[in-house]
Structures are given as C-alpha cells and as structure tokens.
Amino acid sequence: MPIDLNCDMGEGYGRYHVGNDEGIMPYISSANIACGFHAGDPQVMRRTVQLAKLHGVAIGAHPGLPDLAGFGRREMELSADQLYADTVYQIGALNGFCLAENVRMSHVKPHGALYHMVNRDRELACALVEAVIAIDRELVIYTLPQGELVQAAQAANLRVAREFFADRAYQADGTLVARTHPQAMIKDAASAAARVVNMLAGQRVVTVTGEEIDMQAETVCIHGDERQAVLFARSIRTELERLGVVVSACERT
C-alpha cells in the first residue's frame, strides 16, 4: 500500500536557520510548513513553499502555539475561540503563499504542544476542525490514530491521515513519550526505518516499555529540526522503495 512521508519544515525565522529543508525535500512526499507562531516568518514560508513546489512535494500548514522562545513545545492556556482565530490566521497566511505560487495546500497538522492538546481536549479539537473548515474543508488533517482530534474531524466528515512518528518513542496508550524522557527520540536512522517497515507490515509498534500496541497509519513523520533528519529521510525512503512501497502524499478529499 502507498504511504506518505511527511516532515516539519520552514522552522527558521529572521536570522535563525533551523534544519536542512533543501537536503530533506527530495526524500519526502509532504511538507508541514510552520506558519509564524512557533517558528517561520513570511520570507521563510515563501521560500519553503517554493522549494516544495520545485520538488513536487505536497504542502501542509503546521500551526502552533504563539511561543517562538519555546518552539511551540510548551503548553499554554487558551480558549477554543482563541485557538480557532489563531488557526485560521496561520492556515490563511500559508494559503496566501500557496496562492501566490499557484499551488494548492493539501493538509493541516498541528505542531508540538498544540498537537497533544487537541488530542486530549474535545473543545479545542472541534475549534481546530472548525478553523480548517472555514478555510478549506478538502484539507486533510494529520493526527494521532486515536484521540479527540481524529474523532472531531471524522464527525465533521473531514479526511484524516493517521500519523506514525518514525523518530519518536511511544507510550502504551499510543501517545508519544515526553521529550524530557531520555528515550523520547529514536537516534539511529536504520532503527527508524525498521520501525516504519515493521509498522506497515504488522500494524504494530513496540513501546518504550516493551509492549506491542496497534498502530495503523497513512503517513509517517520525521522531524526536520533534528540533526540527522536528512539521513533519516533518505534511509526511510530508500528502505520503503527497496520493498516496493510507493511513497506518495495523502490526497485531498
């Protein structure tokens, strides 16, 4: 079956450069582009959209919390109304650059702490879904296979791409291990590629505590800000193609 390979990108801003988007882009099928809150700025957004277009990579909005200093990885208190407005603002900003480059946005994936908040809190999940619908209800929502966001999106008849993280460890309940945990990140590219292959073959993943849990996904994520992100992207793509797995973006509805 085909599988999407996505990566978080465009996460520099101003004079700060984060990740190697140019090196990663040839190996992925979808790019989640920061929209200016947790990272990114208008120039970075424009360049990243242009780079994705050049490589034929699907473009998605990667909205986050307004927390540049914490890279959007610190939870914040916000109302559903605030989340709705912030999400419309961010998706709309990236969509403007897509329109300017004559490409269509394909998906939305919340970033960092927001990703986890909308999977725990139904009201926030619904606010994010409503924001997506306000911009374009054909957009695909990338999220965990289980949680409030997938339920809210499906209830609104939006397409969902269930996501597996190649470079992150899992807990027994299917959520990601906190980044403060020493085993939160998978450090070896070959191990990450093997995890993806095993997940696709058996729809299972081994947790940080050794249990096997169900894991079904249409898209696989790597983090572009990690030091070995290019190696991870290349290793996973190479292994998938060696096994005859088609790497392609999740199509809009």
Side-chain angles (χ1 to χ4, degrees), residues 64-98:
L65 298 174
D67 180 26
L68 277 176
F71 199 60
R73 288 177 176 160
R74 301 181 296 190
E75 293 202 1
M76 304 172 66
E77 286 191 17
L78 74 168
S79 67
D81 284 346
Q82 182 181 350
L83 175 57
Y84 172 87
D86 287 355
T87 304
V88 167
Y89 184 95
Q90 292 179 80
I91 299 174
L94 186 68
N95 194 46
F97 289 108
C98 290

Side-chain angles (χ1 to χ4, degrees), residues 171-172 198 202-215:
Q171 301 187 95
N198 290 338
Q203 299 185 334
R204 307 278 287 175
V205 66
V206 178
T207 71
V208 72
T209 48
E211 303 99 330
E212 277 197 355
I213 59 172
D214 293 335
M215 181 61 60

Side-chain angles (χ1 to χ4, degrees), residues 3-9 24-25 27-33 57-62 106-110 115 141-144 161-167 196 217-224 229 232-233 236-237 240 247-250:
I3 190 72
D4 176 45
L5 183 57
N6 79 74
C7 184
D8 304 341
M9 310 191 94
I24 296 169
M25 200 70 80
Y27 300 108
I28 63 172
S29 49
S30 295
N32 319 310
I33 301 178
V57 169
I59 295 166
H62 200 32
S106 69
H107 65 278
V108 174
K109 174 187 168 180
Y115 188 92
I141 291 184
Y142 285 24
T143 185
L144 291 174
R162 297 169 296 180
E163 185 172 37
F164 173 71
F165 288 82
D167 56 6
V196 173
E218 290 77 42
T219 186
V220 171
C221 175
I222 61 170
H223 287 85
F232 272 56
I236 294 169
R237 179 73 181 245
L240 291 173
V247 178
S248 63
C250 298

Side-chain angles (χ1 to χ4, degrees), residues 47-233:
R47 287 197 300 268
T48 312
V49 168
Q50 291 172 334
L51 185 63
K53 179 181 178 181
L54 178 66
H55 288 275
V57 169
I59 295 166
H62 200 32
L65 298 174
D67 180 26
L68 277 176
F71 199 60
R73 288 177 176 160
R74 301 181 296 190
E75 293 202 1
M76 304 172 66
E77 286 191 17
L78 74 168
S79 67
D81 284 346
Q82 182 181 350
L83 175 57
Y84 172 87
D86 287 355
T87 304
V88 167
Y89 184 95
Q90 292 179 80
I91 299 174
L94 186 68
N95 194 46
F97 289 108
C98 290
L99 291 172
E101 296 298 328
N102 196 31
V103 293
R104 297 183 78 186
M105 192 185 306
S106 69
H107 65 278
V108 174
K109 174 187 168 180
H111 166 81
L114 180 61
Y115 188 92
H116 302 293
M117 291 167 66
V118 295
N119 273 296
R120 292 197 313 264
D121 188 310
R122 182 59 175 235
E123 187 177 11
L124 294 181
C126 289
L128 189 141
V129 166
E130 289 168 7
V132 171
I133 291 172
I135 299 294
D136 183 353
R137 70 157 34 252
E138 293 184 0
L139 294 170
V140 184
I141 291 184
Y142 285 24
T143 185
L144 291 174
Q146 299 175 337
E148 296 294 344
L149 183 54
V150 67
Q151 295 180 35
Q154 290 173 341
N157 293 317
L158 297 185
R159 182 175 178 191
V160 173
R162 297 169 296 180
E163 185 172 37
F164 173 71
F165 288 82
D167 56 6
R168 293 290 306 276
Y170 281 85
Q171 301 187 95
D173 64 357
T175 60
L176 299 177
V177 173
R179 282 180 173 269
T180 53
H181 192 285
Q183 295 176 284
M185 301 300 299
I186 307 303
K187 300 294 186 181
D188 178 69
S191 297
R195 279 163 50 90
V196 173
V197 170
N198 290 338
M199 184 275 296
L200 292 176
Q203 299 185 334
R204 307 278 287 175
V205 66
V206 178
T207 71
V208 72
T209 48
E211 303 99 330
E212 277 197 355
I213 59 172
D214 293 335
M215 181 61 60
Q216 300 177 29
E218 290 77 42
T219 186
V220 171
C221 175
I222 61 170
H223 287 85
D225 62 303
E226 289 296 311
R227 184 173 57 86
Q228 298 191 84
V230 176
L231 176 59
F232 272 56

